[in-house]
Amino acid sequence: NAGVTQTPKFQVLKTGQSMTLQCAQDMNHEYMSWYRQDPGMGLRLIHYSVGAGITDQGEVPNGYNVSRSTTEDFPLRLLSAAPSQTSVYFCASSYGRGDSYEQYFGPGTRLTVT
Amino acid sequence: KDQVFQPSTVASSEGAVVEIFCNHSVSNAYNFFWYLHFPGCAPRLLVKGSKPSQQGRYNMTYERFSSSLLILQVREADAAVYYCACRGSSNTGKLIFGQGTTLQVKP
């Protein structure tokens, strides 16, 4: 299993540009989520999904869109990048039920918005 | 509001046992999850559960609303960020993460 994969690993955007961060998992996990990590702020939940076709907002959703058309993929779209979105972005997945709430993380995408 | 609390920094000396404390305000959360995060890498699960447990040098204590991660014989290479998390009360699969504790290890 590849686990959770994210692309790209690094990205530089100019203010106003849009882009999509890709996330995929091959563990047949129902639950997927996106976090951003900023110094001193920990992991903050942006959006999450409990299955294909179902998404919901997390703690810091503004400026980001998500969709979940398949179980495997959960892309995160930045509509109009802003310097405040400079961060490291992590995707995670889990079975999300029973005793299997532990989340598996991807390696992260480091995004810089200038 | 569901929240998880942990100290921002803990300092220790090499060879000691270090304790990182965590507590939460989530009404129906029974499990704790402890993650280790090195910069540039994916956070990875160290230990989890609803009772005291051990994985190698990592011990987890358990009370209904609090847990501690104990790292035995701490090394300089253990310097990293440690996250505590609990299952969210909405039963959606969400984990509520604390803000992370940076472990500093002095030689």
Side-chain angles (χ1 to χ4, degrees), chain A residues 18-19 64 67 71 82 90 92 102 108-109:
Chain A
S18 62
M19 80 159 293
Y64 308 95
S67 59
T71 299
F90 289 99
E102 65 185 86
T109 295

Side-chain angles (χ1 to χ4, degrees), chain A residues 4-15:
Chain A
V4 180
T5 57
Q6 292 183 236
T7 55
K9 197 160 177 62
F10 301 96
Q11 183 70 50
V12 179
L13 290 178
K14 293 188 188 312
T15 297

Side-chain angles (χ1 to χ4, degrees), chain A residues 7-113:
Chain A
T7 55
K9 197 160 177 62
F10 301 96
Q11 183 70 50
V12 179
L13 290 178
K14 293 188 188 312
T15 297
Q17 287 184 315
S18 62
M19 80 159 293
T20 299
L21 278 63
Q22 301 292 343
C23 174
Q25 52 89 10
D26 61 359
M27 297 174 280
N28 203 30
H29 285 167
E30 291 293 322
Y31 181 89
M32 295 186 73
S33 54
W34 277 101
Y35 297 89
R36 58 176 291 172
Q37 188 209 21
D38 303 291
M41 306 288 284
L43 294 164
R44 291 187 293 167
L45 183 64
I46 304 171
H47 285 285
Y48 66 98
S49 168
V50 299
I54 308 169
T55 64
D56 204 349
Q57 295 181 350
E59 188 185 345
V60 288
N62 292 343
Y64 308 95
N65 271 3
V66 292
S67 59
R68 183 104 179 262
S69 55
T70 66
T71 299
E72 294 78 21
D73 300 296
F74 190 44
L76 178 73
R77 280 182 290 277
L78 280 70
L79 309 172
S80 177
S84 61
Q85 293 178 304
T86 293
S87 187
V88 182
Y89 291 85
F90 289 99
C91 178
S93 72
S94 76
Y95 285 110
R97 59 182 182 273
D99 288 333
S100 300
Y101 268 68
E102 65 185 86
Q103 292 188 8
Y104 297 80
F105 284 82
T109 295
R110 183 175 292 275
L111 175 68
T112 302
V113 182

